[in-house]
């Protein structure tokens, strides 16, 4: 299933009950970190879109930008994704970016395992991102992690979306195989 894409309108999605507070597939914490020039600059990216929520952010300038999604909806928590096959994401992006898998034991710094999130040309698509180690890599500019990809999966604290170019992003879904985030 590596790299499968489909227009979002054609994709079917099994949606679990959303949280009582704003969430996308039960993920309540979509955060502009203040690293890089973004709109919004900090705080929640969640905005109402009809009966659901979307996470919207714009990366400005040629510099590193950072957007955080806490997988268990709070910083101090983590999720064991060791048995997960990957995740489906519904999104649009006007340029390429990356998603880093950040473990609890090595949260800070740029030296993380990451995978490419390709540009959609601004169109909303649904794409599968595999947790196969072959699908994840590093960027020399950010450094090489001192821990294994398998250990990062077992103690996943968050996904961190990073990009170095101007980009307009709209996230509508992020469901992880075999994992349901707790609502807080």
């Amino acid at each position: 299933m590596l790299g499968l894409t489909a227009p979002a309108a054609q994709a079917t999605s099994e949606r679990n009950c959303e949280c009582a507070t704003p969430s996308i597939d039960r993920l309540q914490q979509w955060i502009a970190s203040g690293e890089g020039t973004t709109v919004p600059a900090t705080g929640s990216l969640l905005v109402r879109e009809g009966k659901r929520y979307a996470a919207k952010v714009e990366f400005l300038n040629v510099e590193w930008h950072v957007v955080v999604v806490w997988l268990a909806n709070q910083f101090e928590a983590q999720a064991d994704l060791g048995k997960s096959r990957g995740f489906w994401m519904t999104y649009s992006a006007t340029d390429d970016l990356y998603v880093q898998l950040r473990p609890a034991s090595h949260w800070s710094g740029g030296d993380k395992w990451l995978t490419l999130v390709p540009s959609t040309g601004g169109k909303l698509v649904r794409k599968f991102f595999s947790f196969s180690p072959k699908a994840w890599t590093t960027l020399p500019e950010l450094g090489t992690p001192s821990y294994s990809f398998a250990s990062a999966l077992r103690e996943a604290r968050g996904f961190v979306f990073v990009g170095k170019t101007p980009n307009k992003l709209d996230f509508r879904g992020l469901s992880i195989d075999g994992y349901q985030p707790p609502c807080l």
Side-chain angles (χ1 to χ4, degrees):
M1 285 210 256
L2 180 61
L4 295 178
T5 61
Q10 295 176 0
T12 58
S13 174
E14 289 183 18
R15 296 219 178 239
N16 292 317
C17 180
E18 286 292 343
C19 300
T21 60
S23 65
I24 298 172
D25 290 328
R26 298 174 61 94
L27 293 166
Q28 297 167 287
Q29 300 296 323
W30 295 76
I31 305 164
S33 71
E35 297 174 73
T37 309
T38 63
V39 176
T42 58
S44 178
L45 304 179
L46 292 172
V47 294
R48 185 172 278 293
E49 290 284 326
K51 294 182 179 182
R52 301 187 185 273
Y53 285 86
K56 295 186 178 200
V57 65
E58 189 168 354
F59 293 173
L60 307 175
N61 306 326
V62 178
E63 62 186 350
W64 284 107
H65 309 88
V66 178
V67 169
V68 177
V69 178
W70 293 339
L71 298 179
N73 290 320
Q74 58 184 334
F75 180 74
E76 299 79 15
Q78 64 190 50
D80 183 350
L81 305 180
K83 293 182 181 174
S84 176
R85 292 178 298 134
F87 61 96
W88 283 97
M89 188 163 66
T90 303
Y91 73 103
S92 70
T94 56
D95 204 353
D96 292 346
L97 69 151
Y98 298 92
V99 62
Q100 297 177 323
L101 175 62
R102 293 219 179 173
S105 64
H106 294 85
W107 176 257
S108 297
D111 57 344
K112 306 294 177 255
W113 295 103
L114 54 79
T115 193
L116 178 70
V117 177
S119 169
T120 67
K123 295 179 183 178
L124 200 61
V125 301
R126 185 170 188 251
K127 178 175 173 40
F128 184 76
F129 294 85
S130 173
F131 282 145
S132 165
K134 293 177 186 177
W136 293 73
T137 188
T138 63
L139 284 181
E141 183 176 357
L142 299 177
T144 303
S146 60
Y147 54 89
S148 70
F149 179 69
S151 71
L153 279 173
R154 287 190 303 272
E155 58 170 296
R157 176 172 282 167
F159 286 149
V160 176
F161 293 91
V162 298
K164 195 173 182 179
T165 58
N167 206 340
K168 194 169 186 177
L169 301 163
D170 183 347
F171 299 94
R172 302 291 178 99
L174 200 165
S175 74
I176 303 167
D177 170 58
Y179 175 69
Q180 181 172 304
C183 290
L184 299 181

